[in-house]
Amino acid sequence: MIKTIVIDDEPLARMIIMEYLKQHADIEIVAECGDGFEGAKAIQLHQPDLVFLDIQMPKLTGFEMLEIVDDMPNVIFTTAFDEFAIKAFEKNAIDYLLKPISKDRFEQGLAKFRNAHSSNGATSNAQQTSAKVNAITETESLERIVVKNGAQIKIIPVQQVNFLEAYDDYVKIHTKDGVFLKNKTMSSFEKQLDQKQFVRVHRSFIAKVDQLAKIEPMEKESYIATLLTGEKINISKSGYARLKQIIGL
């Protein structure tokens, strides 16, 4: 049996997809979810073979949901918006279906999954989807950061971020509510965050400009910044040059 999950905030869209799926005896619908929070939990619980995933959802988008999923499932995206991200996913996700989804188009997408699954390519497709999710999100302007905190999912608006710190394969997100870990690179954050608000001042730190209280020189053309919170971060020579451009020194 092919364990399948349908994730869409529109009840009618979920109903249509599930009706199509029920016509296939080898498919087991293990969950239907109305938002990304439910979807992430269902994926963790059921470890599905296939997920039909809407992209534009309130609370948590399809892209954001995939960022916090530990084991990337095989995904067929569903959306009402034919935008650049969809075209970029076309070669790496199993398929994408543009709403309203016709029966013939649905069957084509399912056939693509069967072909990949039968040829032992399903895992490869899931890995490709994961890589493409990261590539797409790196090109989009970041307005919020979604992190997994134990069993909880937290959405952090970038306005609440004080600074970011490299931490092995993770990044520490320092906020007024505490510190949260995100499995993402500093360079990804550097590309996504508004460069008028956030500056890569050191290989290990990205500073939020409006959180800087004081900058003092250190040895060997390096500097140290004191934040409004009282915390201190290092600033390299090249980072100081970038910072000066932004704040007009």
Side-chain angles (χ1 to χ4, degrees), residues 27-47:
I27 288 181
E28 177 188 7
I29 303 172
V30 294
E32 63 165 304
C33 307
D35 60 55
F37 290 102
E38 293 180 7
K41 292 177 183 177
I43 290 172
Q44 182 177 356
L45 177 63
H46 296 286
Q47 297 294 300

Side-chain angles (χ1 to χ4, degrees), residues 155-170:
I155 297 176
I156 306 170
V158 295
Q159 292 84 357
Q160 295 181 8
V161 175
N162 294 332
F163 69 99
L164 288 83
E165 179 184 4
Y167 185 72
D168 292 332
D169 294 330
Y170 293 80

Side-chain angles (χ1 to χ4, degrees), residues 48-52 71-76 94 113 116-117 121-127 129:
D49 301 301
L50 177 63
V51 173
F52 286 85
D71 297 315
M72 181 66 65
N74 294 282
V75 175
I76 293 179
I94 295 294
F113 167 76
H117 197 269
T123 299
S124 175
N125 274 280
Q127 292 170 345
T129 300

Side-chain angles (χ1 to χ4, degrees), residues 39-161:
K41 292 177 183 177
I43 290 172
Q44 182 177 356
L45 177 63
H46 296 286
Q47 297 294 300
D49 301 301
L50 177 63
V51 173
F52 286 85
L53 177 62
D54 188 18
I55 294 175
Q56 298 291 336
M57 295 185 290
K59 298 182 181 178
L60 202 66
T61 70
F63 294 158
E64 289 172 335
M65 191 211 75
L66 289 178
E67 281 191 25
I68 59 174
V69 171
D70 294 327
D71 297 315
M72 181 66 65
N74 294 282
V75 175
I76 293 179
F77 288 100
T78 62
T79 180
F81 304 95
D82 186 11
E83 297 176 348
F84 77 94
I86 303 304
K87 295 177 182 177
F89 268 96
E90 187 174 4
K91 294 181 180 178
N92 294 287
I94 295 294
D95 202 358
Y96 75 93
L97 304 177
L98 191 62
K99 299 174 183 177
I101 302 169
S102 69
K103 181 69 161 53
D104 288 344
R105 186 66 186 87
F106 175 86
E107 293 297 335
Q108 289 176 21
L110 192 57
K112 288 183 180 181
F113 167 76
R114 291 186 186 281
N115 289 337
H117 197 269
S118 63
S119 62
N120 295 320
T123 299
S124 175
N125 274 280
Q127 292 170 345
Q128 290 177 347
T129 300
S130 177
K132 183 55 75 173
V133 166
N134 292 332
I136 291 299
T137 55
E138 284 183 10
T139 65
E140 296 180 340
S141 179
L142 194 64
E143 296 181 356
R144 59 189 195 175
I145 302 169
V146 180
V147 297
K148 215 174 164 184
N149 186 21
Q152 300 296 315
I153 297 169
K154 183 174 178 61
I155 297 176
I156 306 170
V158 295
Q159 292 84 357
Q160 295 181 8
V161 175

